[in-house]
Amino acid sequence: MKISKNHDAYLKIKNALKKNIYPNLTITDDLQVLKIAIEYNLKIDTLLYCYEKEYHDDTKILLNKLIEKANEAYEISLSSYESLALKDNHAGIIAAINLNNYDFKDLENKNYIFVLDRLEIPGNIGTIYRTLESVKCDAVIMVDSISKINNEKITSSSRGCNLIIPTINSNYQDTLNYLLENDYDIFLGEPKLGLNYQEYDYKNKIAIVVGNERFGINPDWYNHKCKKVFIPMEGIQNSLNVSVAASILAYEAYMKRKK
């Protein structure tokens, strides 16, 4: 069925992008993310695709799977599509994907957790998710997050990894209470204090905390039973980009836990 820009489905995706009024939906036109949606059996709320595009055979196969899976699927014109497209070299397919809802009960038996404390730059968050998926991190807790998990830029930069790693949105106090009550070793990613990141074994239930790009970790973390960990730097800079630091810590923990 062909629809115009006035159709509810079109307006839903437009408003999700412009106003972010659907906290449980993320929008993507990335084929890699759409493949993940099929592979991991994610719920597709709305699918729009351009009837004026010529699709490659493999894209046609993917599109047919998406149409079959979507709650709603409609055809739109190229001009209508391009007013929604997130990138210039789009494939002519855009979807609203449902995010899974998780809470602290879902962290049972999750022993390797990352805590993203007040992060705000979607590209940084997405990069961290890609790394965490590579090291099989069990879960993410987004604490007092400025950028929301459904942000389409996070979905794009993470290549959909934010959709498959269980993620909880929480606040600082509830997160701290949960980690302490459940005997996690809490590691605070820190520019200077504590021990060199290579000196820990990361063997037990662990939660690694990385902080805001400008202000770092919430200072109150330091008032509790936490381990401080730093990455040595010999140049003139006094800190690393949070996604770089998180990646170094994530791989160190992964290698130590694997041994």
Side-chain angles (χ1 to χ4, degrees):
M1 176 180 174
K2 296 178 182 178
I3 63 170
S4 70
K5 290 183 178 182
N6 296 321
H7 193 278
D8 287 345
Y10 183 95
L11 294 174
K12 188 174 200 175
I13 289 184
K14 179 180 178 180
N15 288 329
L17 290 171
K18 303 295 184 183
K19 302 177 182 179
N20 196 17
I21 60 175
Y22 302 103
N24 292 321
L25 292 179
T26 189
I27 310 301
T28 185
D29 59 1
D30 187 311
L31 289 180
Q32 178 64 34
V33 180
L34 294 170
K35 289 175 184 177
I36 284 176
I38 295 297
E39 181 179 352
Y40 285 85
N41 197 31
L42 302 177
K43 295 180 180 178
I44 299 173
D45 180 272
T46 306
L47 177 74
L48 302 180
Y49 57 100
C50 179
Y51 57 79
E52 297 173 83
K53 291 281 287 186
E54 292 187 10
Y55 297 106
H56 296 295
D57 289 343
D58 55 345
T59 306
K60 286 181 184 178
I61 293 171
L62 174 62
L63 177 57
N64 288 333
K65 291 179 180 179
L66 292 166
I67 293 170
E68 182 178 344
K69 187 169 180 55
N71 183 47
E72 296 182 273
Y74 301 102
E75 297 177 281
I76 58 175
S77 68
L78 180 60
S79 62
S80 294
Y81 185 93
E82 288 182 340
S83 65
L84 296 175
L86 299 174
K87 54 186 180 181
D88 293 335
N89 60 336
H90 60 79
I93 306 169
I94 192 166
I97 300 175
N98 290 92
L99 297 172
N100 291 320
N101 291 317
Y102 297 96
D103 59 31
F104 286 111
K105 295 191 296 293
D106 297 305
L107 293 186
E108 186 177 357
N109 300 319
K110 305 294 188 187
N111 297 326
Y112 180 16
I113 293 174
F114 251 76
V115 178
L116 310 185
D117 183 8
R118 304 178 299 164
L119 267 60
E120 57 184 301
I121 299 176
N124 285 337
I125 298 171
T127 299
I128 291 171
Y129 268 98
R130 287 182 68 178
T131 300
L132 296 183
E133 196 280 330
S134 298
V135 300
K136 296 303 178 185
C137 178
D138 290 327
V140 171
I141 305 176
M142 295 185 72
V143 172
D144 300 320
S145 184
I146 296 169
S147 285
K148 303 307 179 186
I149 188 64
N150 69 326
N151 187 310
E152 68 276 3
K153 292 180 181 178
I154 294 178
T155 301
S156 176
S157 58
S158 75
R159 303 302 299 273
C161 293
N162 63 321
L163 306 179
I164 58 178
I165 298 177
T167 298
I168 298 171
N169 288 296
S170 186
N171 57 59
Y172 162 75
Q173 194 61 56
D174 288 347
T175 300
L176 176 71
N177 291 344
Y178 177 83
L179 296 176
L180 292 177
E181 290 168 4
N182 288 273
D183 299 320
Y184 282 86
D185 286 339
I186 304 172
F187 295 88
L188 306 181
E190 226 286 333
K192 302 177 185 176
L193 302 177
L195 297 179
N196 182 315
Y197 75 103
Q198 294 176 316
E199 295 185 37
Y200 290 107
D201 64 18
Y202 307 99
K203 290 292 188 182
N204 301 315
K205 292 172 65 176
I206 66 169
I208 299 176
V209 184
V210 294
N212 179 275
E213 292 88 343
R214 291 179 291 167
F215 306 115
I217 290 170
N218 182 339
D220 197 50
W221 286 101
Y222 295 93
N223 297 326
H224 303 280
K225 184 183 176 183
C226 300
K227 299 176 180 179
K228 304 173 188 69
V229 54
F230 71 88
I231 299 168
M233 300 179 63
E234 297 187 6
I236 62 172
Q237 299 299 319
N238 59 11
S239 66
L240 295 170
N241 174 280
V242 65
S243 64
V244 174
S247 296
I248 292 172
L249 296 176
Y251 264 96
E252 182 69 13
Y254 166 70
M255 296 303 294
K256 292 282 181 65
R257 293 174 70 83
K258 193 173 181 180
K259 288 180 182 178

